[in-house]
Amino acid sequence: MQWQRRLMALLLMSGLFAEAEASPASATASWHLRVVTEQGDTLVDAAAPEGSRWCIQWQHSVEHFTVLDCYRNLDGTMQLERSHQPDFAAGLGHIYGRGEQVSDGEGGYWINAINEPVANNRYVLRVGSTAVNHRVVWPSNEHTTVSLSERAAGQRVTIELSAS
């Protein structure tokens, strides 16, 4: 658990959770991060103004450590910005030419500057069990976290950035 506190401290120090200033373009569109089940139930509907950042966080199903995929709203496009992995476990690792791998100083690594747009501003995720605990984390006064696994374990959900 101590490494998780260190990870959150690293995130805070890195500026990943810095609130974004609203730009003139964002004044014309009200962007939202939404997570919706196949049945149409909304699990998350949160303001995501231009420049905002959020992560999908989960426990690796084999190695049981925390993994983060971090996104941002860049000019109305959901973009995979960076990823954190504490190990080169099954299914994880850096792909040459896709971002820059750097040490996190704790034995794991960040893949920074991935900066890949997510096709159509949405993707589908099969939510893991509560042991995997897929969750959305983003900045607020309390660094709010919403567990998708508590509400939709085993279900397909769509994670999307959309204008209202």
Side-chain angles (χ1 to χ4, degrees):
M1 290 304 219
Q2 185 174 0
W3 68 268
Q4 289 174 324
R5 286 190 293 274
R6 287 186 196 152
L7 176 59
M8 289 307 291
L10 282 169
L11 290 171
L12 292 170
M13 289 185 293
S14 72
L16 178 64
F17 287 131
E19 291 290 343
E21 295 292 321
S23 68
S26 66
T28 61
S30 176
W31 294 99
H32 283 258
L33 173 65
R34 292 190 173 95
V35 181
V36 181
T37 67
E38 285 184 307
Q39 296 75 29
D41 297 326
T42 300
L43 305 179
V44 173
D45 186 354
E50 193 168 323
S52 63
R53 292 174 159 92
W54 64 92
C55 298
I56 303 298
Q57 182 177 11
W58 71 95
Q59 302 309 116
H60 191 277
S61 61
V62 176
E63 297 295 329
H64 307 290
F65 52 59
T66 302
V67 179
L68 288 161
D69 282 336
C70 299
Y71 300 85
R72 67 179 169 178
N73 176 349
L74 180 67
D75 298 323
T77 299
M78 183 191 305
Q79 188 178 74
L80 176 60
E81 183 175 32
R82 62 196 309 220
S83 184
H84 182 267
Q85 295 141 18
D87 196 338
F88 288 103
L92 300 177
H94 178 241
I95 299 169
Y96 179 78
R98 184 177 182 252
E100 175 187 15
Q101 180 180 322
V102 296
S103 172
D104 69 359
E106 299 290 325
Y109 61 96
W110 282 101
I111 302 172
N112 291 326
I114 297 172
N115 301 333
E116 287 181 359
V118 175
N120 300 314
N121 274 355
R122 70 182 65 191
Y123 65 95
V124 174
L125 170 72
R126 173 138 343 248
V127 178
S129 70
T130 53
V132 172
N133 195 18
H134 277 105
R135 53 209 179 270
V136 181
V137 296
W138 63 90
S140 72
N141 291 338
E142 290 92 275
H143 299 107
T144 304
T145 300
V146 174
S147 173
L148 303 177
S149 294
E150 287 178 6
R151 299 189 52 208
Q155 295 182 46
R156 288 170 41 107
V157 299
T158 299
I159 300 173
E160 67 180 348
L161 177 66
S162 59
S164 298

